[in-house]
Amino acid sequence: MKFFRAVMAASVLAACGGQAASAATGNVLFNGTITATCTVTINSNGTMTVNSNLQSLSSHNAGGSAGSAQVDTTGGVSLSVDPVTTTTVPASDVTATTWTPTFATSGAQTIAETGTATALTVPGTSTVAVNLSGTKSGTNRFSAGNYQATVTLRCE
């Protein structure tokens, strides 16, 4: 009987030895989600200078310079500048000033100078030039002294 079992096992093994084992496959899926995002890095602050009639204090005037920032985005966001709310003016300047912030971009997306929120649809890096102009109306003029205003660049 032991011999019979050994012969039987050997014959089954021999019969199966010529057949390939059946193969099986499976697919592994990978999912990922990237939300629309952006980062703002300030490169440099701007400088305002006064014009000859003392009614414009602006980064656009001769000797002035725009502030600079870098925006990195996935696209699907909006870039804007907030109205100026924080200013420091000399005590002698008691007349109203109208502050107008603007921006323009180059790089992944080009935007001509604007003060209006603008969609960034293209992913990548853009350089943003931020400008600020303060103006006096009528017979009002800027006084001697130091002026400072804060422009918030917003990407959301």
Side-chain angles (χ1 to χ4, degrees), residues 57-71:
L57 182 64
S58 175
S59 56
H60 285 297
N61 290 338
S65 64
S68 175
Q70 177 178 308
V71 172

Side-chain angles (χ1 to χ4, degrees), residues 29-79:
L29 298 178
F30 291 85
N31 295 308
T33 301
I34 298 175
T35 58
T37 187
C38 62
T39 58
V40 176
T41 305
I42 303 301
N43 297 328
S44 63
N45 293 317
T47 302
M48 297 182 293
T49 57
V50 70
N51 70 350
S52 61
N53 74 0
L54 305 176
Q55 285 191 300
S56 170
L57 182 64
S58 175
S59 56
H60 285 297
N61 290 338
S65 64
S68 175
Q70 177 178 308
V71 172
D72 294 292
T73 182
T74 58
V77 297
S78 180
L79 187 65

Side-chain angles (χ1 to χ4, degrees), residues 110-122:
T110 300
I111 299 171
E113 188 168 8
T114 184
T116 305
T118 305
L120 296 179
T121 57
V122 179

